[in-house]
Amino acid sequence: MFIWTTIVYDPIAYWTWNSNGWSAKSGILDFAGGTPVHISSGAAALAISISLGRRTGYERLNYKPHNTSYVVIDTVFLWFGWFGFNGGSAVSASLRAVQACVATNLAASMGGITWMLWDYRLQKWWTIVGFCSGAISGLVAITPGSGYVGARKCD
């Protein structure tokens, strides 16, 4: 863990949060820390996937969740906790914290609706698991910009 953190995570965190980092110098903003967390975990997941290779029997096996209630409950817990994470990254009870919470809720909601509609388009039915998958994807996507993205009316 120490080696992975030192070699992978620390340089990405430096790029993002230090004023001398190339990411910070190029104007990339990261409010709640999603950039180093998601880039490093995504790169690690890609590396382990490449080293393990393709799944055997993927086409023949059923990979649906065994308990939909657990999926929904866990999504609710994650969604609720994400408000504390994104809103709490403002480190004060301010309008920026409110903005982060509103953006977090909108991103999760729209992610869930979008995923559910794609499920319907591709498979001709929608599921709560699809909504939950999209909601979590929306939470992940909004985390770095949650304090900078506002909710605006579309004209």
Side-chain angles (χ1 to χ4, degrees):
M1 185 67 110
F2 174 77
I3 294 169
W4 183 87
T5 303
T6 304
I7 293 173
V8 177
Y9 182 79
D10 290 346
I12 298 171
Y14 175 84
W15 299 338
T16 306
W17 294 325
N18 191 305
S19 59
N20 294 323
W22 69 267
S23 177
K25 281 185 177 180
S26 64
I28 295 174
L29 301 173
D30 185 352
F31 179 72
T35 302
V37 170
H38 298 141
I39 288 175
S40 61
S41 61
L46 178 63
I48 195 71
S49 297
I50 290 170
S51 67
L52 290 176
R54 291 183 61 92
R55 283 186 191 173
T56 56
Y58 179 73
E59 295 80 17
R60 295 184 312 269
L61 298 175
N62 184 5
Y63 283 100
K64 293 182 181 177
H66 74 284
N67 192 330
T68 305
S69 299
Y70 286 169
V71 173
V72 173
I73 290 169
D74 291 344
T75 301
V76 169
F77 286 154
L78 273 171
W79 198 330
F80 180 74
W82 227 284
F83 284 118
F85 182 73
N86 285 354
S89 293
V91 194
S92 66
S94 62
L95 288 177
R96 185 166 298 253
V98 172
Q99 177 180 335
C101 287
V102 168
T104 299
N105 199 40
L106 285 174
S109 301
M110 291 311 300
I113 290 169
T114 302
W115 193 298
M116 197 171 59
L117 291 173
W118 270 108
D119 266 354
Y120 185 77
R121 182 167 189 254
L122 297 174
Q123 299 176 356
K124 301 299 181 224
W125 69 81
W126 44 54
T127 63
I128 191 68
V129 173
F131 179 83
C132 291
S133 299
I136 293 170
S137 298
L139 290 169
V140 169
I142 197 61
T143 297
S146 61
Y148 304 114
V149 177
R152 292 189 174 90
K153 178 184 169 191
C154 296
D155 293 330

